[in-house]
Amino acid sequence: DTGVSQDPRHKITKRGQNVTFRCDPISEHNRLYWYRQTLGQGPEFLTYFQNEAQLEKSRLLSDRFSAERPKGSFSTLEIQRTEQGDSAMYLCASSLESFAEAFFGQGTRLTVV
Amino acid sequence: AQSVAQPEDQVNVAEGNPLTVKCTYSVSGNPYLFWYVQYPNRGLQFLLKYITGDNLVKGSYGFEAEFNKSQTSFHLKKPSALVSDSALYFCAVRDLNSGYALNFGKGTSLLVTP
């Protein structure tokens, strides 16, 4: 296993379109996180899954954002009706335990034009 | 609520000199503390963590960090900096009393000059 993988690496979309990102965590990790990072800032927590259950969502996650992890393996993050303010790097991470370090993917860079 | 502060946007150090990147935290319970490094166009890489035990923890690439409960700090250190250490460094905290999120600081840019 080579780590957390995210697809696509880059996405350019027009304002108002829907986009979906995929994350494949490290195979034995049952915990999965989504973060958003903008230039000059640290990653901001969006949501957390333990297996297929979404256990925590940030207040940053508006109703245009939805995340799933249907079989407790890969996860998808969908943004509906994209806005220019959604332009950011979207990072996925996974971990084995609550006290364990999270391993991050290389991210999906979203540009909304 | 939990939070992390990295008071320096940038740290400059000459190669071969010791380096320190500062981090302070605020949590309601016992903290789990982490340092990550981010190189340009690459993902976040884990450096080290403090969960419990010895206050001085050692990590990857010769980095270490000291947990100080009274000062609520977790500063990252390295005895002798390398030019290749130049990168963006993030401190992060998790407090299970506040949820599952790993909360990150804004990051500190480390520049090591030859």
Side-chain angles (χ1 to χ4, degrees), chain B residues 1-5 23-27 33 93 103-105:
Chain B
Q2 55 184 356
S3 66
V4 175
C23 171
T24 59
Y25 66 90
S26 173
V27 297
L33 293 156
V93 65
N103 284 335
F104 285 82

Side-chain angles (χ1 to χ4, degrees), chain A residues 9 33 35 37 40-45 48 50 55-56 91 95 97-106, chain B residues 32 34 36 38 41-46 49 51 88 90 94 96 98-107:
Chain A
R9 294 289 308 279
Y33 309 81
Y35 284 82
Q37 186 177 22
Q41 301 295 320
E44 297 172 301
F45 171 75
Y48 164 76
Q50 188 167 317
L55 297 185
E56 188 173 350
L91 299 169
S95 70
E97 300 287 350
S98 60
F99 53 81
E101 59 272 25
F103 291 87
F104 282 80
Q106 292 199 284
Chain B
Y32 296 162
F34 303 81
Y36 285 81
Q38 189 173 38
N41 300 316
R42 295 180 64 178
L44 286 156
Q45 296 178 31
F46 167 75
K49 67 180 178 183
I51 304 300
L88 200 52
F90 292 97
R94 177 182 292 135
L96 293 184
S98 299
Y100 300 96
L102 188 60
N103 284 335
F104 285 82
K106 289 180 61 175

Side-chain angles (χ1 to χ4, degrees), chain B residues 83-94:
Chain B
V83 172
S84 58
D85 292 330
S86 299
L88 200 52
Y89 289 82
F90 292 97
C91 181
V93 65
R94 177 182 292 135

